[in-house]
Amino acid sequence: MVTTHEQQTTQRAGQLYEQAAQSQMDYWADRARNELYWDTPFTEVLDWSNPPFAKWFADGTTNACYNAVDRHVEAGHGDRVAIHFEGEPGDTDTVTYADMQVRVSQAANALESLGVTKGDRVAIYLPMLVESVVAILACARIGAVHSVVFGGFSAEALRSRIDDAQAKVVITADGSFRRGKPNMLKPIVDDSLAKPGHTVEHVLVVARNKEDVHWVEDRDIWFHELVNEQPTTHQVTWHEAEHPLFILYTSGTTGQPKGLMHTTGGYLTQVTATMRDTFDLQPETDVFWCTADVGWVTGHSYIVYGPMANGATQVLYEGTPDTPHRGRWWEMVEKYGVTILYTAPTAIRSAMKWGRDVADRYDLSSLRLLGSVGEAINPEAWDWYREVIGQNAGAGTVNADDTVTPGPRKTELVPIADTWWQTETGAHILTPLPALHADELKPGSAQRAVPGVSVDVVDDQGNSMQDTSQGFLVIRDPWPAMARTIWGNDERFVDTYWSRFDGMYFAGDGARFDEDGDIWLLGRVDDVMNVSGHRLSTTEVESALVAHDLVAEAAVVGAADDTTGQAIYAFVILTEDSEGADQDEAEAALRAHVGSHIGPIAKPKRILVTTDLPKTRSGKIMRRLLKDAAEGQTEADPTALATLADPAVMEEILSGMQQR
Ligand code: ATP
Ligand code: MG
């Protein structure tokens, strides 16, 4: 009998759960040995003698860069494309694993020539370029700790991160291309270093958009000038499994950013394993595309380390989805034959808002698996993602009036992996394994823990929930990719994550089980609403709103209310077809809709139609600011405002709230 690919992966995925159920320790030890090359094999799996400070595989040595690059070349896959780079203006670069080996070797030599040694910190403030991946891996190679700061952060935010990590070198670019225009980075680095008292000795500058930049002699060095003259080989050295790999700050939705520290062996084990399992990755044939920025944990784990450690081929894109037109992503899926797409709900909701005619112009038949990350995905968006993007089996016909008649549709359903995880967790924690669970997927639920991780939903005493009401998401046992601490602040690490419940990791998100025991994420615990004694989830009310034809996006908050304790306020963006709808009628229709969808208690007290929502630079809705607006504040909190991608959106919302 011939076993098909589907049967094989289903069988394999099933075995993973079985094996993990027998012994989590054996399971992770096996995965570590099978997924990675260890120069000194480890003998101890987990040292949990000083909780919550875990040590995984501590007496083993390895090298993350060697695992991501060299070993694939040594195995004869040097000609395989590692990265299909596409710049926003349309320039491209095809980088094989053999090319990558040369590039990381030269970059590692360059860093060493600047005196960077093992344990030194390097800040990376770059746009989405091949050099970003090269810089990260070069640090890993020599054991320097990278701290990537998202390219949209201000000089002040960059400086505080440079200071926090005491970075010796900053790697940046003159700038990038964004929405068709040069977007400068170097001036921001200059500003951030203007005040003395920092630790930076050199700034390495990638020449990308070739705009004029200010130059500080002796400090600033062109990346290409230094790197291109270096030897093309570099001897790998081996690092202890617990050697720090990177520091990364959370996106800042809930206040002061935290610099989570991740180490080498455990992190790479779980990232490599989940990359393969969640996405059913076939490195020989798949073309993977994760649309996140390398500045976020998704970019670290599922652009740099996960795909590369698996020897996969991926797409890396510099720009925005709507430049020069709204079909840019779908055009790229068609062009590169992308088979697995991993993106965020915010991007899917934007695509929905623009309408399916945009995507239907392209042939998306190569796609066989879709992923989502960053926020709960509304069931409406999940369905759209699957039906419009996933089932597309060929370009449609563009009619004379510019409408599109969709092309053929796939008959089989494309699975979606809704992955819940955090900067703190390092790698996927909750997700169905689409290869195994394709027939049991539930739109809007991340469903279950990956093999080897024990997740629970507990009440405020830490007892496992016995019904389907809202509780707190926790992780019961240590897992390999867990952050080891907050850089330089063990106490804050313990306080934030390990003191709410005894011996459990507190994720900060609300969740509930359903009747089948599947897990539904309900939003951040800080955002939970309490109306007349009923606890309501922001996520559920938002999803109800998005399910209405009028609504493209929704954000919901609970604001202090004299009679009900809290009252629900909703902020909605209408679909392009509904723009211009009467405000009062829309509000009435939506209130009724939420009432019938969830119950009268969930009806928003007020619904404000707005053209945009406050989002962090990683695309997440910042509910804190909306809550302030709903509670009558007339000015936005400046620190929260500073973390928004577009602070101006709050003006419309604040004035809208004051009009009635
Ligand atoms: P900060 O901790 O500074 O507020 P952040 O939590 O947004 O920032 P990340 O670590 O990037 O920083 O995001 C993790 C959070 O994103 C999760 O705690 C959860 O709230 C949300 N999230 C991520 N993926 C999902 C998902 N699939 N479903 C629901 N929520 C998700
Ligand atoms: Mg968080």
Side-chain angles (χ1 to χ4, degrees), residues 164-439:
D164 191 40
Q166 308 243 295
K168 194 169 186 176
V169 167
V170 178
I171 307 179
T172 188
D174 43 11
S176 64
F177 295 98
R178 200 172 162 77
R179 301 198 190 283
K181 295 193 202 85
N183 173 47
M184 299 309 288
L185 291 176
K186 174 69 163 57
I188 299 176
V189 175
D190 292 337
D191 273 3
S192 81
L193 299 179
K195 270 201 215 110
H198 60 74
T199 46
V200 175
E201 293 168 14
H202 291 289
V203 177
L204 269 176
V205 188
V206 174
R208 168 62 185 153
N209 67 13
K210 317 280 163 61
E211 296 291 312
D212 284 341
V213 289
H214 173 71
W215 209 249
V216 178
E217 286 308 322
D218 299 331
R219 186 195 75 183
D220 297 348
I221 303 166
W222 285 109
F223 186 89
H224 62 274
E225 285 182 4
L226 181 69
V227 170
N228 293 355
E229 70 180 21
Q230 300 296 321
T232 53
T233 56
H234 176 272
Q235 185 63 47
V236 172
T237 49
W238 305 103
H239 308 303
E240 311 73 50
E242 283 298 335
H243 181 65
L245 185 62
F246 63 86
I247 304 166
L248 183 62
Y249 296 82
T250 55
S251 60
T253 322
T254 52
Q256 181 67 19
K258 304 167 277 272
L260 277 315
M261 184 188 92
H262 284 278
T263 59
T264 307
Y267 170 80
L268 201 62
T269 296
Q270 195 176 336
V271 163
T272 309
T274 49
M275 177 75 209
R276 224 153 94 66
D277 307 342
T278 304
F279 301 116
D280 175 31
L281 180 75
Q282 314 293 319
E284 305 76 24
T285 48
D286 273 321
V287 179
F288 179 73
W289 184 13
C290 168
T291 66
D293 193 282
V294 284
W296 308 121
V297 74
T298 305
H300 281 57
S301 300
Y302 300 102
I303 292 177
V304 181
Y305 291 108
M308 304 257 334
N310 278 287
T313 297
Q314 68 179 322
V315 171
L316 189 78
Y317 173 53
E318 176 187 37
T320 51
D322 52 354
T323 308
H325 57 81
R326 289 173 167 184
R328 182 70 187 265
W329 276 15
W330 317 124
E331 184 179 71
M332 285 178 60
V333 167
E334 178 180 288
K335 174 174 171 188
Y336 295 105
V338 173
T339 57
I340 305 170
L341 180 70
Y342 191 31
T343 191
T346 179
I348 299 162
R349 290 189 302 255
S350 297
M352 280 173 80
K353 186 173 170 216
W354 299 336
R356 67 174 300 158
D357 274 15
V358 177
D360 279 339
R361 285 165 201 255
Y362 302 92
D363 177 353
L364 310 181
S365 56
S366 55
L367 287 170
R368 67 179 186 84
L369 204 147
L370 304 172
S372 174
V373 60
E375 288 180 291
I377 177 165
N378 319 102
E380 186 79 4
W382 195 99
D383 285 336
W384 192 93
Y385 193 23
R386 185 181 230 184
E387 285 160 19
V388 177
I389 306 303
Q391 305 309 121
N392 177 317
T397 322
V398 182
N399 306 314
D401 63 354
D402 209 40
T403 57
V404 179
T405 307
R409 313 304 295 170
K410 283 178 203 161
T411 45
E412 80 284 14
L413 293 176
V414 176
I416 298 182
D418 177 3
T419 62
W420 178 92
W421 58 295
Q422 310 174 298
T423 310
E424 294 86 343
T425 70
H428 295 162
I429 295 293
L430 289 172
T431 176
L433 299 192
L436 182 64
H437 305 123
D439 300 331

Side-chain angles (χ1 to χ4, degrees), residues 62-106:
T62 184
N63 183 299
C65 178
Y66 175 83
N67 277 287
V69 180
D70 305 63
R71 66 167 166 158
H72 308 309
V73 180
E74 288 167 16
H77 305 311
D79 290 340
R80 187 181 296 163
V81 174
I83 296 177
H84 290 291
F85 171 77
E86 182 153 322
E88 198 187 75
D91 56 315
T92 59
D93 189 6
T94 308
V95 187
T96 64
Y97 276 93
D99 298 334
M100 216 48 200
Q101 191 179 31
V102 170
R103 292 175 73 160
V104 293
S105 297
Q106 288 189 306

